[in-house]
Amino acid sequence: PLVTVGEYLLNLIPFILYNVTPLCSLVAVLVTFGTLSRTSEITSMKATGISLYRVVTPVLLVAAVLSVTLFAFDEGYLPAANRRQEALLSSIRGKTAQTFLRPDRKWISGQNGSSASGQTGSAASGQSGVPASSAATTEPTRIFYYQFFDPQRDVFAKITVFEFQPGSFTLVRRIYAESAHWDDDTGRWLFDNGWQRSFSGETVSSYQPFAQASFSEIHEQPTYFKKEERPSQEMSYTELSRYIHDLQQSGFDTTPLRVQLSRKLSYPLLTLVMAILAVPFSLTAGKRGSLAGIGAAIGLAIAYWVLAGISENLGNVNSLPAVLAAWSPDLLFAMAGSYLLLRTPT
């Protein structure tokens, strides 16, 4: 419906504003100081004894305030808007029912099976004596609950599978494991260090712990759980930090998340860095007009995103420390802007 699409676009606007603010800062400073330079107003200021540093100070102060505001925006409002727009996008695309309010506590319904593959029992690898459940003509309804899913390695952290009687919401089995990973050889999920509990009405009919087990009837493949968005976009700095701490205690690799945690600090500061870098460029491009300033802004933005993408990927594979991977583009651009600004005649 048009109302749903409109609500999605309204919740998408904060995400767009957050990402384009540094570029807006760059373009604004380039055009403003380029215009002042083209009309010789910068020269007039210098002639009256006002140094270039005095001229740019108010601009840099405003950029610094914008950086702090951008961080506060990401800490307070943006994660909720991102969760809402992701939920609306999932509804628009007709995806499987799932939750979005807690990215660190994920619920998603399983595939709707029509006929069973002949049995609904479990096959446990590395153990014996696990009885198979009775055959059924239809598969049970499943709901998956997990704390973390690594789409690169196809690994779950603290996963629970609830199975319900077909056509009703009566719980018939619950499977829990500290972790689960996809095995390409068998084409199944391998559950590690967990247990399964079967129910008969309101009573527990069986309970079996296991070191490792696979369940042939769980046929949802890794692609079923992969999402387009990053959990870091749906969490504040405080929430993401706590989430990483919990995963580290469980022994999971949190390197990509630690890179994103550092970027939550480095990206808002980019507004100030771009303002510093734009001043010397605007003075050199001023005589060529505003279009030259906009062209320079686009070139600088492309250079930043290429460098940021390279450093982020290097950080994700542990080739760079997480902090350095997030901060290196800002540091390099800040040093380049400071150097060019200091060399500019005042």
Side-chain angles (χ1 to χ4, degrees), residues 116-184:
S117 58
Q119 63 178 10
T120 59
S122 63
S125 58
Q127 67 161 3
S128 61
V130 178
S133 14
S134 58
T137 57
T138 58
E139 292 188 4
T141 303
R142 295 187 185 89
I143 294 180
F144 296 85
Y145 168 75
Y146 51 90
Q147 183 182 21
F148 172 69
F149 175 61
D150 186 346
Q152 303 298 325
R153 299 189 299 135
D154 297 331
V155 175
F156 283 104
K158 296 183 179 179
I159 180 172
T160 301
V161 183
F162 298 91
E163 290 188 351
F164 300 92
Q165 190 177 45
S168 71
F169 211 65
T170 302
L171 184 65
V172 295
R173 185 169 65 161
R174 178 183 176 183
I175 303 169
Y176 170 80
E178 287 293 323
S179 64
H181 64 276
W182 179 258
D183 184 24
D184 289 323

Side-chain angles (χ1 to χ4, degrees), residues 60-73:
L60 299 184
L61 287 176
V62 171
V65 171
L66 281 175
S67 296
V68 175
T69 304
L70 209 59
F71 174 78
F73 182 65

Side-chain angles (χ1 to χ4, degrees), residues 105 147 158 241-251:
R105 299 287 187 272
Q147 183 182 21
K158 296 183 179 179
S241 179
R242 190 184 306 116
Y243 184 45
I244 291 173
H245 178 70
D246 293 341
L247 292 178
Q248 285 177 332
Q249 287 185 328
S250 302

Side-chain angles (χ1 to χ4, degrees), residues 69-332:
T69 304
L70 209 59
F71 174 78
F73 182 65
D74 183 35
E75 185 71 9
Y77 178 77
L78 186 60
N82 284 341
R83 291 193 295 266
R84 181 59 181 160
Q85 61 101 348
E86 183 62 28
L88 290 167
L89 182 61
S90 178
S91 174
I92 291 171
R93 293 181 173 179
K95 291 186 177 181
T96 305
Q98 52 190 297
T99 58
F100 294 89
L101 294 179
R102 289 288 302 273
D104 57 336
R105 299 287 187 272
K106 184 67 181 174
W107 297 82
I108 180 171
S109 64
Q111 292 175 334
N112 295 323
S114 57
S115 61
S117 58
Q119 63 178 10
T120 59
S122 63
S125 58
Q127 67 161 3
S128 61
V130 178
S133 14
S134 58
T137 57
T138 58
E139 292 188 4
T141 303
R142 295 187 185 89
I143 294 180
F144 296 85
Y145 168 75
Y146 51 90
Q147 183 182 21
F148 172 69
F149 175 61
D150 186 346
Q152 303 298 325
R153 299 189 299 135
D154 297 331
V155 175
F156 283 104
K158 296 183 179 179
I159 180 172
T160 301
V161 183
F162 298 91
E163 290 188 351
F164 300 92
Q165 190 177 45
S168 71
F169 211 65
T170 302
L171 184 65
V172 295
R173 185 169 65 161
R174 178 183 176 183
I175 303 169
Y176 170 80
E178 287 293 323
S179 64
H181 64 276
W182 179 258
D183 184 24
D184 289 323
D185 295 332
T186 60
R188 298 179 183 177
W189 291 102
L190 297 182
F191 294 77
D192 301 312
N193 300 321
W195 45 262
Q196 67 165 326
R197 182 180 282 120
S198 299
F199 299 88
S200 179
E202 297 182 356
T203 62
V204 178
S205 60
S206 67
Y207 171 80
Q208 299 94 25
F210 54 80
Q212 187 176 80
S214 64
F215 303 89
S216 59
E217 64 273 22
I218 299 178
H219 48 72
E220 286 83 358
Q221 298 187 1
T223 54
Y224 185 78
F225 301 95
K226 293 181 179 179
K227 298 171 59 182
E228 296 179 2
E229 94 295 340
R230 297 178 178 178
S232 59
Q233 295 175 352
E234 299 178 3
M235 298 185 195
S236 66
Y237 181 89
T238 305
E239 292 170 340
L240 184 58
S241 179
R242 190 184 306 116
Y243 184 45
I244 291 173
H245 178 70
D246 293 341
L247 292 178
Q248 285 177 332
Q249 287 185 328
S250 302
F252 282 85
D253 180 20
T254 59
T255 300
L257 291 176
R258 286 188 285 113
V259 173
Q260 295 304 316
L261 181 67
S262 297
R263 276 188 60 82
K264 283 186 173 291
L265 294 176
S266 65
Y267 188 80
L269 192 63
L270 181 62
T271 304
L272 176 60
V273 172
M274 286 299 186
I276 296 174
L277 187 63
V279 173
F281 272 92
S282 63
L283 296 179
T284 57
K287 299 298 182 182
R288 294 189 291 271
S290 299
L291 289 179
I294 295 176
I298 294 174
L300 290 172
I302 292 174
Y304 173 82
W305 287 116
V306 170
L307 182 60
I310 293 174
S311 62
E312 182 177 338
N313 287 321
L314 289 176
N316 290 340
V317 297
N318 268 327
S319 295
L320 278 178
V323 175
L324 185 60
W327 282 95
S328 55
D330 288 49
L331 293 176
L332 290 175

Side-chain angles (χ1 to χ4, degrees), residues 27-50:
V27 173
V29 175
L30 280 170
V31 173
T32 300
F33 279 88
T35 303
L36 293 175
S37 178
R38 189 176 68 254
T39 57
S40 301
E41 292 182 70
I42 294 291
T43 305
S44 300
M45 293 179 187
K46 292 180 181 179
T48 58
I50 302 176

